[in-house]
Amino acid sequence: MPDAIEVTDLTKIFGTTVAVDHVSFSVKEGEIFGFLGPNGAGKTTTTRMLAGVIPPDSGSAMILGHDIQREPVLAKQEFGVVPETSNAYTDLTAWQNLMLMGELYGISSARATERASNLLGALGLLERKDQKVQAYSKGMKQRLILAMALLHEPRLLFLDEPTSGLDVQSTQMILSLLRDLNRAGTTIFLTTHNMEEANRLCHRVGIIRSGRIVALDAPEKLKAAIDRLHRIEVSFGREIPAEALARLPGVLSADRIGDKWQITTENRDALIRLLVQFSREQGVAIVTLNTLAPSLDDAFLRLTREASL
Amino acid sequence: MNPAGFSEQVRRSWAVAKKDIRIYYIKGPVLIFGIFMPVFLFLAFLMGSRQLPLAFLVSGLVGMALFFTATAVSPAIFPWEGQAKTLERLASCPITVEAIVFGDMIASTLFGIGITLITVIIGLFLGLSLLHAITLCAGILLAACCFSAIGMLLAVPPTNTPSNIMMLSSLIKFPLVFISGIFIPLEQMPHWGMALAVCSPLTYFTDLVRYSFTGTNYFQVPFDIAALMVFTIVFTAGTMYLHKRTMPKRM
Ligand SMILES: Nc1ncnc2c1ncn2[C@@H]1O[C@H](COP(=O)(O)OP(=O)(O)O)[C@@H](O)[C@H]1O
Ligand SMILES: [Mg+2]
C-alpha cells in the first residue's frame, strides 16, 4: 500500500526550543497511527506542520502524494483536521459552521446538507444544530469539530488529542466513529498522551519525547517493553536511608514521595521478597505496600533509555 | 474541479466574506456605529462650518463615510480570529491566504458601500442634486475596494490583540482624512498640502464625489479613476503578499 503520510527530517524551532527535531516516519494508507508522547513533546507542533498550519524550519512532509509546502491546497482538500483546541465559530450555529466548511471545501450545498445531517445525527447533535456553538459543552464542541473535519469525506484525518478532557459519552462516541471510519478506509493520524487509548485504537504508534521519535512499532510490542517495568510503593515504620534501598539488587530507581518510597524494577516478585527481607534485617515494619501499573512516564524513560543504547 | 484553481478559490473567498458579514458586520454595535456615524458627521458639519457650501461638505462626508466604514472592522478580524483559534481552522482548509484576505476585503467593501449609500440618500433628502450618478457609483465601488485593501493592510502586523491594531489603524486613518481635501478644498491647499494630498487615495474619491454632486472637480474624472485603480491594485497585491508572509506568525 502507498504511504498516506511520509515525513522526512521535519524540524521546528521556537526561539531556543527545538520543538520538533528531525522527525521522520511514515503512515500507510488505511492505518490508524498513534503519535504518543507526554506534554510538550512536540505532538501538536508536528500535527500543525503536517496539516499545513505552520511551516517547518526544515524537512518535508508528503501528504497523500502532495508536498504540504508546495501544494498546500491540493493536500488540504484531501484531509480533515481536529485540532488541539476547539476552533468552531462560536457566533455561528453548528449548522452554519458545517455549511461554511462545505463551501470552503467546494462541496455542493445539496451534498453538504446531506452530509451535515448524517454526521450531526451520528454524533448526537441533530436536535441542537441551530444553537450557537457558544452554548455547547466541551464534549459537544469536540463532536462538532469532528463533524466539520469529516464533512468533505476526507481520505485522511488528523486528530490532536481528540478525547483529552472529555466526558465518557463523547469519548465513546468519538472513538467508535473513528473505528467505523477506519473500517471504511479512512487513514487516521492521532496524537494522545494516553497509552491505553493508543493501545486500544492504533495499528502502529510512534513515541515522541522532547521533539524526537524514540520508538516506532505496533502497540503490543511497545506494551511488552513497558510491561517489563514495574513500580512498587512502600512505606516503613521509621526513616530508612535511601542508599540502603537503592543498593537492593534489581532496583532501577527509588524515589521519595511524601512518606512513601516509589521503586521501579523489572522483577516485581523478587523485589517484594527482598523488601520483606530488608525490613526484617533492619528491624523496621512495612506500613503499606502497593504495586502500581507502569505509568507512561516510566514507559518513556524506559524507551528513551533503550533508544539511546 | 481544481481546488487550487482561480475560480474555485474566488468562490471560497465568498464563503469567507459571508462568514465575516454574519459574524462581524451584522452585529448591533457595528450596525449602529455604521448608521449613526454618517448622521452625526452630517450634524457636526452642518453646525460647524457654514462658510462652505453644502455640496462641498457632503462630498467630504461621503468620502469619510466610505473610508471609515470600509476600514472599520477588517483590521481586527485576523487578530480576533487568531485569538479565537478560528484562523487555525481556516489555515487547515484548502483555501489560500490570498483568498482569505480577498474574502475579508469583499465583506468590508460591501459594508462600506451599504453605509455610504445611506449617507448619499441622506444628502439627497437634504436637497442635494445628484448630477452624475454613474460616476458616483463607479467611484464608490472602486474606492470601497481600495479602502478595504487599506483596512487589510492595517491588519498586517501579526498581533493577536485587536485593541493594538485598532489603535494603530486610528493613528493612520485620521491624519489621512486631513490631507485628502475633505475639510479644505484642494484649490486652497498650500503646496506641501497638495504634495501630501496626491498620496492619499481618499483625495481622488472625494474629488469624484464632488464632481458627481457639483459638476466641478480638481482633477479630471479619468485621472481620479485611474489613480484609484492604481492604488487598489498596489494595495491589494501588497496586502496579499504581506499577509502570506505574516500568517504563520499568527498561529
Ligand atoms: N507557538 C509556540 N511558540 C513557542 N513555543 C512553542 C509554540 N508551540 C509550541 N511550543 C513549544 O514547543 C514544544 C512542543 O510543544 P507541543 O508541540 O505543543 O507539545 P505537545 O503537543 O506534545 O504537548 C513545547 O516546549 C512548547 O512550549
Ligand atoms: Mg499538544
Side-chain angles (χ1 to χ4, degrees):
Chain A
M1 277 226 197
D3 286 338
I5 304 176
E6 207 182 323
V7 178
T8 318
D9 277 336
L10 211 57
T11 302
K12 185 77 191 177
I13 300 166
F14 294 111
T16 54
T17 317
V18 185
V20 176
D21 190 359
H22 294 90
V23 161
S24 301
F25 63 92
S26 62
V27 177
K28 288 186 202 59
E29 234 171 279
E31 200 170 46
I32 303 185
F33 184 87
F35 209 48
L36 189 63
N39 282 334
K43 305 183 295 293
T44 299
T45 307
T46 306
T47 313
R48 293 170 105 208
M49 286 191 281
L50 297 184
V53 172
I54 50 173
D57 289 318
S58 66
S60 67
M62 295 292 287
I63 313 288
L64 299 165
H66 300 288
D67 187 316
I68 190 66
Q69 291 277 89
R70 289 206 203 98
E71 301 180 318
V73 172
L74 294 180
K76 288 169 184 176
Q77 185 70 32
E78 308 257 1
F79 63 73
V81 185
V82 174
E84 186 170 43
T85 37
S86 163
N87 62 5
Y89 285 96
T90 52
D91 288 331
L92 298 181
T93 66
W95 189 258
Q96 289 169 335
N97 268 295
L98 285 163
M99 291 304 114
L100 173 61
M101 285 306 114
E103 292 177 45
L104 288 174
Y105 284 90
I107 304 171
S108 75
S109 84
R111 183 88 188 108
T113 307
E114 187 195 331
R115 285 285 296 161
S117 305
N118 289 345
L119 284 165
L120 289 177
L123 288 161
L125 293 171
L126 203 51
E127 308 88 79
R128 305 186 61 172
K129 73 180 174 67
D130 293 320
Q131 196 172 27
K132 282 195 177 176
V133 175
Q134 247 154 16
Y136 275 27
S137 72
K138 186 172 181 199
M140 290 167 68
K141 274 187 197 155
Q142 190 69 349
R143 282 181 268 156
L144 171 63
I145 295 285
L146 182 57
M148 287 164 71
L150 290 173
L151 192 85
H152 64 295
E153 299 176 86
R155 286 162 64 197
L156 166 66
L157 190 59
F158 289 105
L159 304 107
D160 195 355
E161 307 213 18
T163 61
S164 158
L166 291 196
D167 54 291
V168 181
Q169 190 204 3
S170 296
T171 303
Q172 288 313 320
M173 232 179 228
I174 288 174
L175 292 184
S176 94
L177 184 63
L178 291 184
R179 277 197 204 94
D180 291 346
L181 281 168
N182 180 251
R183 234 169 271 139
T186 310
T187 310
I188 294 174
F189 174 99
L190 95 163
T191 77
T192 175
H193 60 246
N194 184 337
M195 192 87 198
E196 239 354 89
E197 184 173 285
N199 189 32
R200 282 206 310 267
L201 199 63
C202 302
H203 301 131
R204 238 158 33 95
V205 295
I207 294 190
I208 181 169
R209 185 192 163 99
S210 308
R212 285 166 193 250
I213 295 228
V214 295
L216 199 61
D217 217 331
E220 297 78 44
K221 295 209 185 120
L222 295 176
K223 202 163 168 4
I226 292 154
D227 273 347
R228 275 185 268 135
L229 201 70
H230 299 280
R231 257 180 331 144
I232 289 172
E233 198 175 68
V234 61
S235 65
F236 298 99
R238 63 173 163 78
E239 286 292 312
I240 50 120
E243 318 85 64
L245 272 181
R247 264 202 311 270
L248 292 175
V251 169
L252 294 174
S253 69
D255 297 306
R256 181 95 195 231
I257 292 168
D259 61 344
K260 298 189 182 72
W261 289 92
Q262 277 201 358
I263 304 171
T264 52
T265 179
E266 287 189 357
N267 190 337
R268 187 162 45 187
D269 177 64
L271 182 67
I272 293 173
R273 285 168 200 279
L274 274 170
L275 283 173
V276 171
Q277 192 187 337
F278 173 80
S279 75
R280 201 180 297 132
E281 282 167 14
Q282 302 269 322
V284 51
I286 292 179
V287 180
T288 56
L289 180 77
N290 293 312
T291 60
L292 305 174
S295 79
L296 194 56
D297 273 341
D298 296 335
F300 288 132
L301 267 177
R302 171 86 190 184
L303 290 165
T304 347
R305 195 180 312 138
E306 283 185 354
S308 63
L309 285 179
Chain B
M1 174 189 83
N2 172 13
F6 183 77
S7 65
E8 190 56 36
Q9 287 295 314
V10 170
R11 206 167 300 147
R12 293 175 192 192
S13 299
W14 178 235
V16 171
K18 278 197 293 189
K19 173 268 296 175
D20 286 347
I21 291 171
R22 233 185 216 138
I23 298 178
Y24 305 111
Y25 289 94
I26 307 189
K27 253 189 182 168
V30 176
L31 286 179
I32 289 169
F33 160 80
I35 291 164
F36 274 74
M37 197 201 58
V39 173
F40 281 120
L41 284 179
F42 259 113
L43 288 176
F45 263 126
L46 287 176
M47 289 192 280
S49 51
R50 299 199 174 275
Q51 68 274 35
L52 289 165
L54 179 67
F56 172 80
L57 292 177
V58 168
S59 318
L61 192 65
V62 170
M64 266 167 57
L66 183 57
F67 182 63
F68 279 115
T69 50
T71 55
V73 178
S74 51
I77 290 182
F78 276 164
W80 274 327
E81 296 214 356
Q83 223 171 29
K85 303 282 175 212
T86 49
L87 201 57
E88 176 160 350
R89 151 96 18 214
L90 290 179
S92 65
C93 284
I95 180 169
T96 58
V97 173
E98 289 89 337
I100 298 174
V101 170
F102 189 57
D104 289 343
M105 280 177 54
I106 295 175
S108 75
T109 301
L110 293 177
F111 181 66
I113 291 175
I115 300 298
T116 306
L117 288 181
I118 294 176
T119 317
V120 171
I121 289 166
I122 296 178
L124 295 178
F125 264 108
L126 289 178
L128 276 181
S129 50
L130 183 55
L131 305 176
H132 304 282
I134 293 175
T135 309
L136 183 66
C137 287
I140 290 178
L141 186 67
L142 198 53
C145 295
C146 182
F147 298 159
S148 69
I150 295 180
M152 287 311 289
L153 212 47
L154 294 170
V156 161
T159 164
N160 282 348
T161 321
S163 56
N164 287 355
I165 219 71
M166 285 322 226
M167 192 60 145
L168 174 78
S169 65
S170 296
L171 281 178
I172 295 174
K173 270 150 59 175
F174 281 97
L176 210 62
V177 169
F178 285 97
I179 62 165
S180 301
I182 286 178
F183 301 106
I184 310 162
L186 292 176
E187 299 82 5
Q188 299 171 16
M189 276 207 179
H191 276 301
W192 61 268
M194 266 315 284
L196 288 174
V198 295
C199 302
S200 162
L202 186 50
T203 304
Y204 305 98
F205 177 58
T206 312
D207 203 42
L208 276 178
V209 179
R210 184 160 309 146
Y211 172 75
S212 309
F213 282 114
T214 67
T216 57
N217 52 347
Y218 187 82
F219 301 109
Q220 295 295 309
V221 171
F223 184 80
D224 283 330
I225 290 189
L228 279 175
M229 275 182 175
V230 170
F231 274 114
T232 306
I233 292 167
V234 169
F235 288 156
T236 304
T239 193
M240 284 178 178
Y241 171 78
L242 291 171
H243 277 294
K244 182 128 203 137
R245 291 189 48 167
T246 54
M247 186 62 89
K249 300 204 184 96
R250 296 177 186 278
M251 299 296 162

